């Protein structure tokens, strides 16, 4: 009888969970999605970010607004960072390290908030390498939430290797590391790393991303991963072995269609939808290389010419780059493609676009967020990886027969318009691509399955409850 009472108490227990994502939309939104799932189960969430980022997030449904509290902490000003820059989309890629320096200065206000509010758990991102010791001191349980999949985490290695940061040249990243015991082609191409290594200003934080990951993972009580064992079984087994701690899948956390961020969304969406409504079902390729990637002018021109040559209808969302002096697309391009192609500069409601029935393919940089959104609607991915772990995602998916990768020069990453046109046609209309289209539709059942996703989050909540609320009051 006593045991039953204890179990019921555990069932009724309400957790207070603090969330602290990195300052990028591709991180803020999945953290918000998991916050909503926790809130739906009756738990209390404190979502910590900066004022502008909180404003950018979609409005909460009325039934959850009392369970999720936004904790707005101003981003401390630092040199090299304009005052209103609070998110990776506000900052040129070359200045991302300055954003991390400012983020590190949130340590004091975050510590004060945690001391005051005393949550049971804090779920944090890779940039917060300084957070685990703070949480430990306050008696708060801590979980690292990875928005990278299990195969990318395995490639990066165990915490000790990440902290050592021993891989220093691009070539080091083009081979399978010694801790992966099975055959794998999940590696970088030379150009994907060479650009990445040379991409940014000197590391003004003094802490490399590798070291941030190492401490964030190594000093956590548990690791949550935005993926699932059905999709990458061997990688989850290896990850638990490498980390020697609890590793939980969160599922893919497919986003709700109705909740794209930004206020001007309705006017932008109305214009886009009007164009998409005129196209045939599954005929349009949606082109977007994410909020951070920036292609050199020559490559943008080849991409534009390739879309033109493909003769496939396309909707192209281009990142707004105020610092760029030259035009984003070649002169006369929009006139030449006429009604067949639409180009939009600035933010677009990506989930709504991908959910539209006229969209059949997605030419993407292969960031994990975009992969989840695209495959969640069964759209065929066409890969053009640019930075971060995008090359690893591309190899993982290609290894499973999903999508088409645009051929490029291995060393410098250049590509020609013909390879773009051929890849788009293969994914969208050629008979040879029929299997790719079928496979992408099959993936919808895995990536877009909300019910399955809730089961993963239930397991995760059970684990968090089992660790109890042993924090210092």
């Amino acid at each position: 009888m006593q045991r039953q009472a204890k179990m019921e108490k555990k069932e009724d227990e309400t957790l207070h969970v603090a969330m602290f994502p990195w300052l990028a939309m591709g991180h803020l939104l999945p953290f918000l999605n998991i916050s909503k799932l926790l809130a739906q189960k009756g738990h209390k969430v404190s979502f910590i970010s900066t004022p502008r980022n909180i404003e950018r997030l979609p409005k909460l449904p009325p039934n959850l607004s009392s369970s999720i509290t936004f904790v707005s902490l101003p981003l401390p000003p630092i040199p090299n960072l304009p005052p209103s820059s609070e998110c990776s989309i506000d900052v040129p890629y070359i200045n991302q390290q300055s954003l991390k320096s400012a983020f590190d200065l949130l340590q004091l206000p975050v510590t004060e908030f945690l001391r005051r509010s005393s949550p049971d758990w804090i779920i944090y991102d890779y940039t917060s390498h300084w957070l685990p010791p703070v949480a430990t001191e306050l008696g708060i349980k801590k979980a690292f939430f990875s928005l990278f999949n299990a195969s990318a985490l395995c490639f990066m290695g165990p915490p000790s290797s990440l902290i050592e940061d021993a891989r220093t040249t691009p070539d080091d990243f083009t081979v399978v590391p010694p801790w992966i015991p099975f055959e794998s082609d999940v590696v970088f191409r030379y150009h994907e790393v060479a650009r990445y290594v040379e991409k940014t200003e000197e590391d003004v934080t003094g802490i490399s991303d590798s070291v941030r990951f190492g401490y964030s993972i190594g000093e956590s009580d548990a690791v949550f991963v935005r993926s699932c064992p059905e999709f990458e079984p061997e990688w989850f087994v290896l990850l638990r072995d490498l980390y020697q701690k609890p590793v939980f899948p969160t599922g893919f956390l497919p986003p709700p269609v109705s909740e794209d961020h930004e206020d001007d969304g309705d006017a932008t969406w109305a214009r886009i939808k009007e164009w998409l409504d005129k196209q045939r079902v599954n005929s349009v390729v949606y082109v977007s290389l994410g909020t951070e990637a920036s292609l050199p002018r020559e490559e943008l021109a080849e991409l534009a010419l390739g879309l033109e040559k493909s003769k496939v209808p396309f909707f192209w969302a281009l990142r707004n780059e105020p610092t760029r002096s030259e035009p984003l697309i070649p002169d006369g391009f929009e006139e030449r493609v006429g009604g067949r192609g639409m180009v939009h500069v600035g933010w677009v409601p990506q989930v709504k676009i991908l959910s539209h029935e006229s969209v059949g393919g997605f030419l993407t940089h292969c960031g994990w967020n975009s992969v989840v959104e695209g495959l969640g609607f069964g759209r065929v991915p066409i890969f053009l990886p640019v930075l971060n772990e995008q090359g690893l995602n591309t190899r993982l998916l290609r290894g499973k027969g999903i999508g088409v990768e645009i051929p490029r020069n291995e060393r410098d990453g250049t590509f020609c318009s013909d390879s773009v046109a051929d890849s788009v046609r293969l994914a969208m209309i050629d008979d040879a691509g029929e299997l790719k289209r079928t496979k992408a539709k099959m993936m919808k059942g895995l990536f877009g399955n909300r019910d399955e996703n809730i089961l993963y989050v239930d397991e995760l909540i059970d684990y968090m409850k089992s660790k109890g609320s042993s924090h210092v009051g």
Side-chain angles (χ1 to χ4, degrees), residues 146-173:
S146 170
L147 301 175
F148 297 77
N149 56 45
S151 68
L153 290 173
C154 287
F155 181 86
M156 288 157 61
S160 55
S161 301
L162 284 159
I163 291 164
E164 211 177 289
D165 208 359
R167 287 181 282 196
T168 51
T169 68
D171 284 311
D172 294 340
F173 292 88

Side-chain angles (χ1 to χ4, degrees), residues 109-120:
V110 167
T111 304
E112 281 312 305
F113 170 76
L114 294 175
R115 185 174 281 121
R116 243 183 10 255
S117 63
S118 205
D120 300 303

Side-chain angles (χ1 to χ4, degrees), residues 20 22 31 141 205 244 289 329-330 333 339 384 410 420 455 473:
F20 187 43
W22 165 234
F31 267 77
K141 297 284 181 192
T205 66
Q244 294 293 302
L289 300 179
I329 50 172
F333 171 71
L384 190 68
E410 291 258 337
V420 173
L455 296 178

